[in-house]
Amino acid sequence: MKNHSGQFFWHQAIAICLIALSTACSNVKSATNRAGSAPTNCFRGQLDVKFCDRTGDLVADPPTNPAEFVNPDTLVFAYTPLENPASYKEIWAEFIAHLEKVTGKKVSFFAVDSNLAQLKAMRDGRLHIAGFNTGSTPLAVNAAGFVPFAIMSAKDGSFGYQMEIITYNDSDIQKIEDIKGRQLAFTTETSNSGYKAPAALLKAEFGLKAGKDYKKAFSGMHDNSILGVQNKDYEAAAISNGVKIRMCARGVADCSQLRVLYTSPTFPTTAYGYSYNLEPKLVEKIQAAFFSFNWQGTRLEKEFSKHKQEQFLPVTYKDKWEIVRKIDETIGVKYQLK
């Protein structure tokens, strides 16, 4: 079994590869604003034409016309889709109540069932605050106007998760090279650990190209991949070990039945942020709600402290998502939503 976790090796592998919804929303104004004329004479980088980046922070600037700010009576919040999305409404309940108190707004939890639904909801103005998974964050930023400002971290400020390639215990796949000619399950094409990172490293480090050297399947979620391997529906899968740890801690999965073939360097976790065109004073209140939330004794603490996620930590997209953007560049990802 090979387990390469060095950052140097990972960046070297990337360099080699580079070479060779319905929901309860009360405000339609944001959708109208987004459909307006595109701003001109501004730097965009990889942002959609409807956005500007005059500050160079790689995220969409707020509108320059105050009339385009959005200040809805009901804020809609969505967490990245995992197993049984509706169950996370209870996990986030205390936080939602705190968000309502700080902002003075009603907050509706939107139980999204796919990354695409979440992305389109923010792009179309039906979603105001969200937690996007690692791989979806660059697409959300560039195509949907998402502005990340926080992630979950341990109390000492450390954060992140690893991508793992796993198989079941009695599988004859003993090392990564054995995947050649076999099946590997991914989650979705927007997932960092569930597709983009493993596809890049398998090609760069082992010369294995998806669809050519191994069969690829898409399970839709990390949970499906983990249980699929455990039940031998998939021969191997690329997953987030953060999701695996939480599932095993709840007894939903049995980690003793799973064998790790590969572990990656650390990636940033879910990005929390807001839609670029929210009214600035409302944005300040939203950020204040995240950073003033008391985790102690809450369902959020019970769920996420298993993986040393115990507070919200301020971050910037430009800094913390650099390695994810490099992976996207490696495999030719285009930040577009149809």
Side-chain angles (χ1 to χ4, degrees):
M1 179 181 76
K2 291 190 177 182
N3 185 341
H4 306 282
S5 58
Q7 291 286 350
F8 173 78
F9 192 90
W10 173 252
H11 286 293
Q12 185 182 51
I14 290 178
I16 293 171
C17 197
L18 280 168
I19 293 172
L21 264 245
S22 74
T23 184
C25 295
S26 62
N27 193 286
V28 222
K29 180 182 176 184
S30 56
T32 307
N33 288 341
R34 290 171 186 269
S37 58
T40 57
N41 301 321
C42 69
F43 175 75
R44 291 190 177 89
Q46 293 181 295
L47 293 170
D48 186 270
V49 293
K50 66 172 72 72
F51 307 126
C52 282
D53 177 23
R54 298 180 180 89
T55 60
D57 60 1
L58 306 186
V59 299
D61 296 337
T64 54
N65 181 359
E68 295 180 0
F69 288 138
V70 174
N71 193 2
D73 294 329
T74 297
L75 293 170
V76 180
F77 171 80
Y79 177 61
T80 183
L82 293 172
E83 85 288 352
N84 189 12
S87 68
Y88 277 82
K89 182 176 182 179
E90 294 303 315
I91 292 170
W92 284 92
E94 290 116 329
F95 175 80
I96 295 294
H98 179 69
L99 186 59
E100 289 182 328
K101 182 178 179 180
V102 176
T103 62
K105 304 280 187 180
K106 181 180 177 182
V107 179
S108 174
F109 183 86
F110 177 20
V112 290
D113 58 5
S114 73
N115 293 320
L116 185 59
Q118 187 182 23
L119 287 160
K120 287 186 175 181
M122 179 153 284
R123 179 199 64 184
D124 297 341
R126 295 179 286 110
L127 178 61
H128 309 113
I129 310 167
F132 279 99
N133 70 26
T134 304
S136 293
T137 293
L139 182 56
V141 166
N142 287 284
F146 177 57
V147 182
F149 68 86
I151 58 174
M152 289 182 181
S153 78
K155 290 180 180 178
D156 63 3
S158 60
F159 62 88
Y161 72 96
Q162 289 80 41
M163 180 276 294
E164 291 180 350
I165 296 178
I166 61 173
T167 188
Y168 45 89
N169 264 350
D170 55 351
S171 169
D172 61 354
I173 299 176
Q174 298 296 321
K175 55 186 185 299
I176 289 293
E177 290 86 348
D178 295 339
I179 290 176
K180 187 170 184 178
R182 309 293 284 274
Q183 178 202 60
L184 178 65
F186 296 115
T187 57
T188 64
E189 290 184 338
T190 59
S191 173
N192 179 64
S193 56
Y195 177 66
K196 295 190 290 187
L201 77 88
L202 284 172
K203 180 181 177 183
E205 186 178 339
F206 299 97
L208 299 174
K209 188 175 180 180
K212 178 182 178 182
D213 298 305
Y214 59 90
K215 303 170 188 176
K216 59 181 181 179
F218 287 95
S219 71
M221 293 184 183
H222 291 277
D223 316 77
N224 296 340
S225 290
I226 292 164
L227 293 177
V229 170
Q230 181 175 313
N231 296 325
K232 302 184 179 181
D233 295 324
Y234 300 127
E235 294 182 282
I239 55 97
S240 161
N241 66 356
V243 177
K244 185 187 75 173
I245 290 169
R246 293 199 299 273
M247 289 180 69
C248 292
R250 292 201 309 269
V252 178
D254 183 357
C255 284
S256 69
Q257 299 299 309
L258 305 171
R259 179 154 44 85
V260 178
L261 298 167
Y262 186 99
T263 302
S264 78
T266 299
F267 293 106
T269 54
T270 297
Y272 296 91
Y274 56 87
S275 177
Y276 82 107
N277 60 352
L278 291 185
E279 201 276 329
K281 290 183 179 179
L282 176 58
V283 167
E284 291 178 6
K285 292 178 181 178
I286 291 169
Q287 292 177 325
F290 273 82
F291 299 131
S292 64
F293 179 65
N294 183 0
W295 287 60
Q296 189 171 1
T298 65
R299 280 162 282 192
L300 208 63
E301 180 190 44
K302 183 178 179 181
E303 175 69 15
F304 290 97
S305 63
K306 303 163 189 171
H307 197 49
K308 295 184 179 180
Q309 296 177 341
E310 304 159 297
Q311 66 175 350
F312 289 109
L313 184 75
V315 294
T316 63
Y317 169 74
K318 184 176 183 179
D319 179 25
K320 299 305 181 186
W321 262 259
E322 182 180 8
I323 188 171
V324 181
R325 295 194 300 272
K326 286 181 178 178
I327 291 171
D328 285 351
E329 182 182 358
T330 298
I331 61 177
V333 170
K334 302 297 181 184
Y335 298 134
Q336 299 172 345
L337 275 177
K338 295 181 181 180

